[in-house]
Amino acid sequence: MASPREFDIKYIKGIGPQKAKLLDDELGIKSLYDLVHHFPTHYVDRSKIYQIRSFADEMPYVQIKGRFVSFTIHGEGAKRRLTGLFTDGSATLEIVWFQRIKALQEAYHTATEYILFGKPKEFNGRWSMVHPEIDLPESVTAAQGLRGVYPLTEKLRNRGVTSRMMYQWINNALTTVRQFDETLPVEIIREHNLIGGDTALRTIHNPHNPDELYKARLRLKFEELFYLQLNIRRYALKRSAAVVGRRFPRIGMFFNNFYSSVLPFPLTGAQKRVLREIRADVGSGQQMNRLVQGDVGSGKTIVALMAMLIALDNGTQACLMAPTEILATQHYESISAMVAKTGVNVKLLTGSTRKKEREEIADGLADGSLHILIGTHAVIEDNVRFKDLGLAVIDEQHRFGVMQRARLWSKNRIPPHVLVMTATPIPRTLAMTLYGDLDVSVIDELPPGRRPVTTLLRYDDQRMQVYRSIGRQLALGRQVYIVYPLILENEKLDLKCLEEGYELIRETFPSYNVVYVHGKMKPKEKDHQMKLFAENKAQIMVATTVIEVGVNVPNASVMVIENAERFGLSQLHQLRGRVGRGTDQSFCVLMSKRKISADTRKRLELMTRTTDGFLIAEADLKTRGPGDIEGTMQSGMPMELHVANLATDGQIIQLARDTVDRLLSADPQLTAQGHGMLIPELTHLFARKTDMSRIS
Ligand code: ADP
Ligand code: MG
């Protein structure tokens, strides 16, 4: 028999070519291996039957037992739906179907007793269930233990694929394989008291009790996180072995002059600590790869500048890259102003830099007279050549992937030190996974005297009051952001909201200039509008979330976020960071519908209580999973996780990390006795993705 990874699912009993294609298109399941790694998201105790009368609050997936009282067809054409009134004697429940109406009507009858399985929803005090699974009681009571609920897509459901079918197919697949190969070294299995891979795979689909299930999941989670860490750590190890770092032993004139006669304020304790960490790195003789995390306004720019001055003191050049032209320009302006009197030569390079200026930059870079180059991605283009680049700083790194970082290294015979700065607070366990190849520093202290932004939650019907407060801020000479969500589901509708919002604002504040920025605009036009706002030629900016991370308009004191209920907390936090940059009291107003779930209200209220980005990121991770945080960083996971959860499995991540580090120090090549499965497994898991080990 072919190996599970080569075995095409179309040959599995019950699937066939059509369903196989559907499973591939919808879930990316191609092989038997993929299929048996499609795990249930949750489980239902098959022996437990719920009473409809006892439904309350948020209900999980449940089983109920009873009879249909009647069936009715509503609506026409695409709106057509079938409903069935179902009773279990305690109360009634409406069952709704939008698809395969005719077939269903023929299949089910009012006289028969059924067991229904699905997720009850409440609307206006009435309970309903959409597209439940329906069984005869005999077939259900025969089964034992916990029943897995498999994730499906809307399209699969519409084509009649049910969780129960998935279960059948997976079990058919499991019976065709005598034993799945063990994927972890036996000493690791023993050390952590894990169960074998084959047993775990079979058990996760057919657990008899919660204890068995726990052990199966633990083993599979560990395995996933182990390989994830092994991939990252092996890459980091290879790199530090292969890459010679340069040593910056000196602190010289550039740094000292700046420190004693320019630096306009004392550094915070956190800034000092991070600078010490950077100095230790660049003095060690190994290439620095450090991520500096610090909330908006924590003062990362100064730290970056001082690190660059160290590079200069050691006879090399430095560059700073920002994701957008506006940000690059802002950095250029503030940094060149700060170093104006210290003899440091700084220039700006972006997509719109003129040819003549480019030539001057090229000359200065080549002969070493240009010390610091600030810019956009233009800086890493191949034709930009430094005499000797010693340090590259990347600001707001989430738009800068591993690959781009790697391009920097080819800019020099000896690769430069790399300092990455991000304002997106990432919980430690997530950072360990996403940036496992970087050392992490945290600036966890704001400069003194900063007034925290006051955050308010307001509802749509209070909009006029909110506008009155905005009016007062405008009258004081302040500027205002108003942000609308742009979410893909219904782009047209969102754009309409944005346009209507813009019109309303213009009518409400006729004596102020209003600019309007969204993602569908040409970049040039967008930059132009943002510039008007930055120069206070416009006082109000109506925008989608395209308003760039890091834009600094200290005079802006109000951030209004419309439909705040649709944003993730980390995103709200980023947006809020646009204000509170000056010395005035700033405000962030979260506008929301009145009708929101208790959970959503809790999340929004958390925003009004805290400005601690890490706390917010943790909360976000717990409620919405890593997707959101990743989303804001636009950097995908190197592999898809089937069972581990970065939000809740912090301890297992740590365990996997420690295990991997010990393994790599004992067997860096992964060729020791009993480790034969490691490299093939890594290749299988990561081959389709970027091979990170090849970058250096
Ligand atoms: P971010 O971390 O968001 O990039 P910046 O580096 O832009 O923050 O700093 C925000 C503001 O705080 C700047 O105006 C900067 O000059 C100021 N700042 C930075 N460090 C300090 C400090 N130690 N004391 C007072 N102000 C500071
Ligand atoms: Mg910044």
Side-chain angles (χ1 to χ4, degrees), residues 296 301 320-335 348-350 374-376 394-399 421 423 527 530 534 546-553 574 578 581:
V296 277
T301 314
L320 188 160
M321 250 173 304
T324 66
E325 197 160 333
I326 294 208
L327 274 171
T329 309
Q330 283 189 345
H331 275 311
Y332 171 71
E333 282 166 0
S334 66
I335 287 177
L348 175 70
L349 177 68
T350 69
I374 296 179
T376 53
I394 305 169
D395 195 12
E396 308 298 355
Q397 89 97 210
H398 46 284
R399 324 240 177 131
M421 315 221 285
D527 279 359
M530 309 247 280
V546 298
I547 59 166
E548 301 294 349
V549 188
V551 168
N552 190 17
V553 181
Q574 282 292 328
R578 299 307 101 222
R581 315 194 128 228

Side-chain angles (χ1 to χ4, degrees), residues 452-458 466 481 557-561 564 572-573 575-577 579-580 585-591 607-608 611:
V453 178
T454 301
T455 304
L456 308 161
L457 176 58
R458 291 288 178 269
V466 172
Y481 295 99
S557 65
V558 183
M559 165 66 65
V560 179
I561 305 170
L572 291 175
H573 181 66
L575 288 169
R576 178 167 62 183
V579 296
Q585 176 64 55
S586 294
F587 302 89
C588 173
V589 186
L590 307 173
M591 297 294 302
M607 289 300 296
T608 67
T611 51

Side-chain angles (χ1 to χ4, degrees), residues 265-268 271 294-302 447-448 450 581:
F265 35 65
L267 295 176
T268 64
Q271 284 171 317
D295 227 330
V296 277
S298 59
K300 295 182 291 293
T301 314
I302 291 278
R450 207 55 71 67
R581 315 194 128 228

Side-chain angles (χ1 to χ4, degrees), residues 512-564:
Y512 296 98
N513 288 328
V514 187
V515 292
Y516 175 58
V517 181
H518 61 80
K520 291 267 131 63
M521 256 166 160
K522 294 221 174 67
K524 243 197 145 122
E525 177 60 14
K526 199 169 94 184
D527 279 359
H528 174 67
Q529 299 285 328
M530 309 247 280
K531 213 161 154 237
L532 288 177
F533 188 73
E535 290 166 359
N536 200 0
K537 289 180 181 143
Q539 292 70 44
I540 306 177
M541 176 186 284
V542 175
T544 56
T545 45
V546 298
I547 59 166
E548 301 294 349
V549 188
V551 168
N552 190 17
V553 181
N555 189 49
S557 65
V558 183
M559 165 66 65
V560 179
I561 305 170
E562 293 282 349
N563 294 113

Side-chain angles (χ1 to χ4, degrees), residues 33-63:
Y33 176 93
D34 297 336
L35 184 68
V36 299
H37 282 82
H38 189 64
F39 299 143
T41 43
H42 45 280
Y43 295 81
V44 175
D45 184 347
R46 291 194 240 198
S47 60
K48 180 159 173 139
I49 302 279
Y50 277 75
Q51 293 254 301
I52 299 173
R53 200 185 45 201
S54 71
F55 289 179
D57 300 331
E58 282 280 296
M59 292 294 290
Y61 278 81
V62 298
Q63 291 187 128

Side-chain angles (χ1 to χ4, degrees), residues 161 287 429:
V161 175
Q287 187 201 19
T429 50

Side-chain angles (χ1 to χ4, degrees), residues 277-415:
E277 288 167 346
I278 292 170
R279 278 190 58 185
D281 282 358
V282 298
S284 75
Q286 293 243 319
Q287 187 201 19
M288 170 171 74
N289 274 279
R290 185 167 287 280
L291 173 73
V292 175
Q293 289 191 51
D295 227 330
V296 277
S298 59
K300 295 182 291 293
T301 314
I302 291 278
V303 171
L305 173 59
M306 294 176 77
M308 292 195 281
L309 295 177
I310 297 175
L312 269 46
D313 277 335
N314 288 272
T316 69
Q317 297 159 295
C319 70
L320 188 160
M321 250 173 304
T324 66
E325 197 160 333
I326 294 208
L327 274 171
T329 309
Q330 283 189 345
H331 275 311
Y332 171 71
E333 282 166 0
S334 66
I335 287 177
S336 52
M338 280 192 276
V339 299
K341 295 201 187 82
T342 61
V344 178
N345 187 5
V346 190
K347 284 224 152 55
L348 175 70
L349 177 68
T350 69
S352 47
T353 304
R354 295 276 154 78
K355 183 147 175 276
K356 184 155 172 296
E357 175 77 6
R358 271 175 194 269
E359 282 165 5
E360 278 177 37
I361 289 174
D363 290 346
L365 286 178
D367 67 18
S369 61
L370 177 50
H371 301 121
I372 296 180
L373 183 64
I374 296 179
T376 53
H377 284 57
V379 171
I380 56 166
E381 275 161 22
D382 290 336
N383 55 9
V384 179
R385 298 239 166 74
F386 292 79
K387 178 168 181 234
D388 190 7
L389 179 63
L391 170 68
V393 180
I394 305 169
D395 195 12
E396 308 298 355
Q397 89 97 210
H398 46 284
R399 324 240 177 131
F400 236 84
V402 177
M403 300 298 287
Q404 282 155 316
R405 261 188 272 148
R407 270 186 82 176
L408 277 168
W409 304 343
S410 60
K411 291 222 150 293
N412 237 29
R413 204 167 31 81
I414 307 177

